[in-house]
Amino acid sequence: MTAFQEHMRRAGERALESLPAPLRPEIYVISFRIWRHDSLDWRRPYLAIGYNTESEVRRVLAEHSDTAPDPGEVRWSYAYWPLDETTGIVGHGPEPADDPVGAALHLAEIRELGLWYEDFDDPDDGKAEDEEHEGEQEARDDLLITHFDDACLDLARHLHTSGKLTEVLGRPVPVLPFDMYRADELDRLAEAANPPEVIVDYLAWARAQEG
């Protein structure tokens, strides 16, 4: 386990411990929003940990009763979640004070792995050099995405296997990672983050949308 993974695990545990006690019986999902300090700067990602509750689902359904939204979509689509992420931000958050230790550990790790690159802005270079650089940057971006996804998935699995989710909430609930720019990967991330029995209802809804 790397120092950054260890930091992620401890930060995730603290996030669960900070969940409001009165809401814990109602929490049915933990959200893992994957984003970046700048939306397309894959070198500086962060994880925002949130949740949704049964009462919030009922509130949204009542509020939109005139349009009769799909109850499954209200329950499982992050578009309807409040995304109250005050429980924890790990990595390169929107504010420098969010997680300076995690940001530093992440930077050190991707530099050690050779994934870091400097911004490229040299108008004197020719088109061929530009295309070569862009291709190299895209390849590193793909590796950076995978690297951070792996750390988030490791955290999700740890919260399950360590028993922390059950300790805090009294039962296992799905941990659903998502990146708004990569909506086509939601199911893959969900399956990688959770034991199969925990995401039966989510996957049933998600696959019904495909058919």
Side-chain angles (χ1 to χ4, degrees):
M1 183 190 309
T2 69
F4 180 61
Q5 285 177 317
E6 178 68 20
H7 176 80
M8 290 273 286
R9 289 187 177 193
R10 301 291 82 79
E13 291 172 353
R14 289 193 298 271
L16 288 190
E17 290 165 356
S18 72
L19 292 171
L23 294 181
R24 292 181 185 184
E26 286 201 71
I27 292 173
Y28 70 90
V29 66
I30 298 296
S31 62
F32 272 21
R33 183 172 69 90
I34 299 171
W35 200 238
R36 290 148 294 278
H37 183 74
D38 292 318
S39 61
L40 285 173
D41 186 354
W42 309 98
R43 298 167 298 179
R44 297 181 175 90
Y46 68 87
L47 171 65
I49 301 172
Y51 59 90
N52 202 14
T53 64
E54 299 286 0
S55 59
E56 177 65 11
V57 172
R58 292 192 294 270
R59 185 195 69 78
V60 172
L61 287 170
E63 184 177 287
H64 297 277
S65 59
D66 54 331
T67 58
D70 171 22
E73 185 172 5
V74 172
R75 185 174 187 81
W76 296 118
S77 172
Y78 62 77
Y80 287 95
W81 296 347
L83 301 183
D84 179 357
E85 295 154 344
T86 55
T87 51
I89 290 179
V90 191
H92 306 267
E95 302 298 331
D98 284 332
D99 182 22
V101 174
L105 288 171
H106 177 263
L107 277 180
E109 188 165 302
I110 64 172
R111 287 181 186 277
E112 183 178 352
L113 292 170
L115 302 181
W116 176 262
Y117 58 83
E118 300 295 338
D119 290 325
F120 180 74
D121 185 18
D122 188 348
D124 294 330
D125 280 353
K127 182 178 180 181
E129 287 80 1
D130 285 352
E131 291 177 350
E132 180 180 352
H133 173 82
E134 288 174 4
E136 179 182 343
Q137 180 173 317
E138 288 176 3
R140 291 197 186 189
D141 283 343
D142 288 342
L143 293 171
L144 286 165
I145 291 169
T146 299
H147 174 265
F148 194 69
D149 279 358
D150 286 347
C152 294
L153 294 172
D154 173 78
L155 169 57
R157 291 189 293 263
H158 169 72
L159 295 178
H160 282 295
T161 59
S162 67
K164 194 66 179 180
L165 270 169
T166 301
E167 174 191 327
V168 172
L169 298 178
R171 67 216 178 278
V173 303
V175 177
L176 296 184
F178 66 94
D179 183 327
M180 295 176 187
Y181 281 0
R182 297 186 292 136
D184 59 328
E185 297 189 38
L186 294 178
D187 294 356
R188 178 187 68 81
L189 292 171
E191 290 182 286
N194 298 275
E197 65 274 12
V198 177
I199 53 168
V200 170
D201 291 346
Y202 165 76
L203 287 180
W205 170 79
R207 286 167 180 165
Q209 309 315 299
E210 298 169 0

